[in-house]
Amino acid sequence: MPGVPDASVPAILADIVLAFRVFASKGRRFMSNPSLLTLDVYHMTVLNHLLAECSVTRVAEILDQPQPNISRILRRLRTVFDDPLLVRSGARLVATERAQEIRESLQEVLSRIEFMTAREAVFDPGRSEREFRIASADCVETGLSSRVISLISSAGSRLQVTMRGIDPAFEIERALEEGDIDLVIDNDPTPPENLMCSTLYTDEVVCMMRADHPLAGLSGLTMNEYLRANHLAPQLSSRTKLGPVDGELHKRGIERSIGARVPEYNMVPYVLACTDFIFTTSRRFAEHYGRLLPLRVMGAPEELPPMRFYQLWHERSHNSPAGRWLRRQVLAAARRI
C-alpha cells in the first residue's frame, strides 16, 4: 500500500470494521441484526451503485452482470436493512431517507477498503504453478478452448490447464462454490442467478446438413420446414433444463422431432455427412466443419434468437488476482474468434 507501512494494516482493518458497523447499524444496535454479518464488499459496492444510479438496469450494465443478479442482491439488502432503500416515484426510483442516511457512511467504508487494498496481490503467471480448471459446454466454438489453453500455457511454463465437459451429473454451482473448478464456459439461456457472469460473444443460429440433403437447395428454413425435418441433437447437459434450442421452441409451444442424440458435439458433422438429419447450432461451429466436410450451412428459422456464450464464476473468486487473470485470458481468446 503506497505510503502506508505494513504495521498500520491492522489499524486500517479495525477502522474498516468500525466504519462498517456505523454504516450498517445507523440508528440501531449492530448485533441486533445478525444478517448484517452476511454482507460483503461486493454487496456494499452494488448498494453504492444503486444509490447513485437509482436504476437496477443501469447498475447491471455498469457491473456487467445480468439484471436478475442485481435485483436479487437488492432484495437481500432490503431484508438486511429492513428498508426498501429504493422506492418508485412515477417512472423512476428514488432513495429512501434510510438509504440517504447510510450512503455517506457506505462511501467512507468503500474508500477505506480501496485504500487498504491499493497494494493488492498480483498474479505472476511466469512464476506460478497454478492449475486452472475450466468446465466448458462442448457446443462452444471449436477454436476457443485451444486458444484459451494456448494463452495460459504460453504465459507460464509451470501453469497447468484442465478442461472438462458439462454433463447432467455435473453440478456447476456446487463445483464453483467448493473450488473444484475455477470457471465455466456455457451458453445456457438461463445461467444460475447466484453466479457471476460475463458475456464472451453471441452467434447466429444456423442449421447444418449434408451437402446433398433434400433441403440443401434452400437459402434458409422456415419454421414449418424446420419442424417437418428430422433432427440430430446433443446429449442434454442438465437433468432439469432443456437445451437452448428446445427451450426456445418450448416457450413457443412447439416441439421438434429428434431422431438421434450424440454424446459429443464434435461427432455431429460426421453423423450428418451420412444421414438425413439436420443439426441446429451456432454459425462459428457450423462453418468450421463446413470447411472440412461436405456439409451445407444455412440460416435457421428467424424465430430462433442468437446464442449467447459467457463465462461463469463464483463470488468467492471474484476478487482473486488469479481468477481475474484467468477471466481476462478467456475473454481475450473469445475476442480473437
Side-chain angles (χ1 to χ4, degrees):
M1 187 172 358
V4 179
D6 289 345
S8 67
V9 170
I12 295 172
L13 281 170
D15 285 346
I16 288 173
V17 170
L18 177 60
F20 181 55
R21 291 189 176 191
V22 172
F23 144 69
S25 60
K26 190 91 172 181
R28 66 190 70 182
R29 290 177 59 84
F30 178 72
M31 292 310 294
S32 67
N33 187 355
S35 61
L36 289 170
L37 296 172
T38 67
L39 297 184
D40 58 24
V41 174
Y42 181 66
H43 296 120
M44 290 189 284
T45 302
V46 171
L47 178 56
N48 189 44
H49 282 296
L50 285 169
L51 297 183
E53 301 293 335
C54 290
S55 168
V56 172
T57 302
R58 178 63 183 145
V59 172
E61 293 172 354
I62 291 172
L63 298 179
D64 192 22
Q65 292 297 304
Q67 185 169 321
N69 283 17
I70 304 303
S71 296
R72 176 178 57 82
I73 290 174
L74 177 56
R75 290 195 298 271
R76 180 176 178 184
L77 290 166
R78 283 169 165 166
T79 299
V80 169
F81 288 102
D82 191 24
D83 187 271
L85 299 176
L86 294 173
V87 294
R88 184 68 60 184
S89 177
R92 63 193 185 96
L93 294 174
V94 296
T96 64
E97 290 185 4
R98 166 79 168 140
Q100 291 173 338
E101 286 177 359
I102 65 177
R103 188 180 178 195
E104 183 178 345
S105 296
L106 170 61
Q107 291 175 333
E108 180 184 354
V109 170
L110 291 175
S111 176
R112 292 188 182 189
I113 291 175
E114 182 179 0
F115 178 63
M116 187 189 73
T117 59
R119 192 185 60 186
E120 63 178 16
V122 175
F123 177 71
D124 183 356
R127 302 177 63 180
S128 175
E129 298 182 0
R130 173 73 179 259
E131 177 190 7
F132 290 109
R133 292 158 296 186
I134 303 171
S136 176
D138 61 1
C139 60
V140 171
E141 201 277 335
T142 307
L144 180 60
S145 296
S146 59
R147 287 183 175 92
V148 169
I149 292 173
S150 175
L151 283 175
I152 294 175
S153 60
S154 63
S157 60
R158 291 180 290 180
L159 292 176
Q160 301 177 56
V161 188
T162 299
M163 302 198 74
R164 61 151 296 160
I166 299 174
D167 56 64
F170 184 57
E171 300 178 20
I172 288 176
E173 296 174 64
R174 182 203 59 77
L176 286 170
E177 179 181 345
E178 297 182 4
D180 295 336
I181 56 173
D182 300 295
L183 198 66
V184 170
I185 303 174
D186 202 358
N187 73 329
D188 188 310
T190 55
E193 291 186 3
N194 61 324
L195 296 178
M196 314 293 282
C197 180
S198 174
T199 298
L200 296 174
Y201 63 92
T202 58
D203 204 0
E204 177 189 358
V205 174
V206 298
C207 292
M208 299 172 65
M209 62 195 73
R210 59 186 174 84
D212 57 349
H213 190 282
L215 298 175
L218 301 176
S219 58
L221 295 178
T222 66
M223 183 58 78
N224 286 336
E225 291 165 337
Y226 182 82
L227 294 177
R228 285 198 297 268
N230 201 13
H231 295 260
L232 180 67
Q235 174 189 347
L236 294 175
S237 60
S238 170
R239 293 189 178 114
T240 59
K241 290 184 178 181
L242 295 172
V245 175
D246 292 301
E248 184 63 32
L249 294 175
H250 179 75
K251 287 194 296 187
R252 298 173 180 273
I254 52 182
E255 185 177 356
R256 59 179 175 164
S257 173
I258 298 177
R261 291 188 183 272
V262 291
E264 295 182 16
Y265 227 72
N266 291 320
M267 289 178 58
V268 166
Y270 302 98
V271 175
L272 293 178
C274 59
T275 66
D276 276 342
F277 292 125
I278 70 171
F279 186 70
T280 311
T281 186
S282 63
R283 179 170 289 280
R284 287 180 174 88
F285 178 89
E287 290 187 343
H288 172 79
Y289 279 102
R291 291 189 290 267
L292 302 176
L293 296 169
L295 299 171
R296 172 84 162 88
V297 179
M298 67 173 63
E302 61 182 12
E303 292 86 348
L304 295 177
M307 291 183 178
R308 180 173 77 104
F309 295 84
Y310 50 78
Q311 52 184 339
L312 292 172
W313 64 97
H314 196 274
E315 191 174 332
R316 65 188 294 276
S317 63
H318 182 65
N319 292 315
S320 159
R324 289 199 303 268
W325 183 87
L326 172 62
R327 296 192 294 272
R328 288 197 298 269
Q329 307 317 301
V330 175
L331 182 58
R335 287 175 173 170
R336 293 186 184 182
I337 295 175

